[in-house]
Amino acid sequence: MQHAPREVSSDRLTVRRLAGAGADASFAEDARRGLTSDPKSIPPKYFYDALGSQLFEAICLLPEYYLTRAEGEIFERSAAEIVEEAASGSRLVLVELGSGSASKTRRVIDAVLARQAGLTYVPVDISPSALEASAHALLGVYERLTVAAYAGDYDSALPHLSENFAAGTRALVLFLGSNIGNFDRGGARDFMRRLRDALREGDALLLGADLKKDAAVLEAAYDDALGITAAFNLNVLARANRELGADFDLRSFRHVAVYDDVEGRVEMHLESTREQTVNLSALGTSIGFRAGERIHTENSYKYSPAELSALAGAAGFALKRTWLDEAGRFSSNLLVAV
Ligand code: AVI
């Protein structure tokens, strides 16, 4: 369990804790529901405790996980252009959903600060530890930055975004790294509609989306040779041991990542390698597993350019422009709220 203050405040930093921050209370409830369902599942948001967030940072450095580097390459080449198109002559407020370490964000912040005197940056992340660490790091680097951070899930943060939208500004919302891919297709559209409702006409969304491609490339990206993604996946069971008094034997589950090209998604599962019973003392229950039975832990949906344009339109945005990395693996899409 993470212990962070409910609210942190200083001259240039506020951190507000909203529902879902650290996700401690709901983990028990969601684990009970998911592990007693058929097929079994655990929602992917529970990957991101302090250790899980660090493991995800490590994934982003892996040779097989091209997504982060491809998006970084786009920003290196085109951040100034992206910011110029999003601002359309106005002063920007920068929002980031799922900010994590905010390392790619620096290129965008540099580009914004090159065209205006100061900037309010509004990061939203479920992990209070990742949020506070990245906010402090950014404030140390950028003197002209103010950070208004929200620790919580996206939906709890949406009603708060407009608190930071001064008159005459435009919001640029960053939703990077293919985070949209962790929603199913209907969920992605519904979430983007709710996001649209939290914005003003003319505000912009930079949507980072991974593109459909060869299954072998995708499966390697989610099952790396070093086993970091396997550790990231298994950590959700370790977290259940730590926080829910469970006794998962991590060595009796194996990481599985498969691309389903009909659904256009990489699925991650944890497969029980033997018949076993796991006790979850905080839930007062035990769960039986057959040999080969899986817990579905994540979907990562991949998009075609046509699907991205349709998604934008269905959610109340117009797709203004798309940038691709050199190898054409990843897309950064600038959407404008209409
Ligand atoms: C955070 N999200 C976009 C990552 C993805 O690619 O779906 C999470 C991840 N899962 C395994 N590797 C990375």
Side-chain angles (χ1 to χ4, degrees), residues 106-296:
R106 292 183 184 213
R107 294 206 184 274
V108 180
I109 294 176
D110 287 335
V112 177
L113 286 175
R115 60 183 303 287
Q116 65 189 51
L119 173 64
T120 301
Y121 172 57
V122 185
V124 176
D125 203 277
I126 194 134
S127 164
S129 56
L131 194 62
E132 283 174 30
S134 69
H136 284 292
L138 289 175
L139 289 169
V141 173
Y142 297 100
E143 276 175 19
R144 292 184 284 138
L145 194 70
T146 302
V147 178
Y150 296 92
D153 54 36
Y154 302 145
D155 277 304
S156 337
L158 291 183
H160 293 278
L161 298 184
S162 63
E163 292 162 6
N164 305 285
F165 298 169
T169 60
R170 263 174 205 252
L172 169 57
V173 179
L174 306 179
F175 196 31
L176 307 181
S178 206
N179 280 332
I180 190 71
N182 297 133
F183 288 90
D184 66 28
R185 298 205 188 264
R189 183 202 53 224
D190 294 347
F191 174 69
M192 292 214 353
R193 280 188 184 152
R194 295 195 294 281
L195 172 60
R196 165 64 192 91
D197 289 344
L199 301 178
R200 303 158 296 181
E201 197 177 321
D203 285 338
L205 166 64
L206 186 67
L207 183 68
D210 195 18
L211 298 173
K212 287 182 167 166
K213 59 182 64 64
D214 197 64
V217 175
L218 287 167
E219 287 179 354
Y222 290 82
D223 191 8
D224 57 283
L226 266 178
I228 305 292
T229 311
F232 173 72
N233 198 5
L234 283 161
N235 177 55
V236 79
L237 302 185
R239 180 175 183 181
N241 289 350
R242 289 190 292 270
E243 296 184 18
L244 305 180
D247 62 357
F248 281 102
D249 171 14
L250 270 52
R251 294 185 194 282
S252 297
F253 286 86
R254 75 177 188 97
H255 167 69
V256 176
V258 280
Y259 183 59
D260 177 334
D261 66 354
V262 175
E263 295 288 345
R265 69 187 193 198
V266 177
E267 296 181 1
M268 291 208 317
H269 299 264
L270 290 163
E271 185 176 291
S272 176
T273 56
R274 59 179 171 90
E275 188 176 327
Q276 56 183 317
T277 300
V278 176
N279 300 301
L280 288 100
S281 66
L283 303 183
T285 190
S286 49
I287 309 284
F289 287 87
R290 300 180 304 276
E293 188 174 1
R294 292 176 174 182
I295 307 172
H296 189 173

Side-chain angles (χ1 to χ4, degrees), residues 52-62 99-103 130 228 232:
S53 297
Q54 296 282 340
L55 287 168
F56 180 65
E57 290 307 315
I59 286 174
C60 294
L61 301 173
L62 292 169
S99 50
S101 69
S103 46
I228 305 292
F232 173 72

Side-chain angles (χ1 to χ4, degrees), residues 63-84:
E64 296 94 334
Y65 195 76
Y66 58 86
L67 290 77
T68 315
R69 272 187 312 284
E71 193 172 45
E73 182 194 315
I74 294 170
F75 286 2
E76 190 173 346
R77 219 180 34 230
S78 308
E81 223 170 58
I82 293 171
V83 160
E84 212 51 54

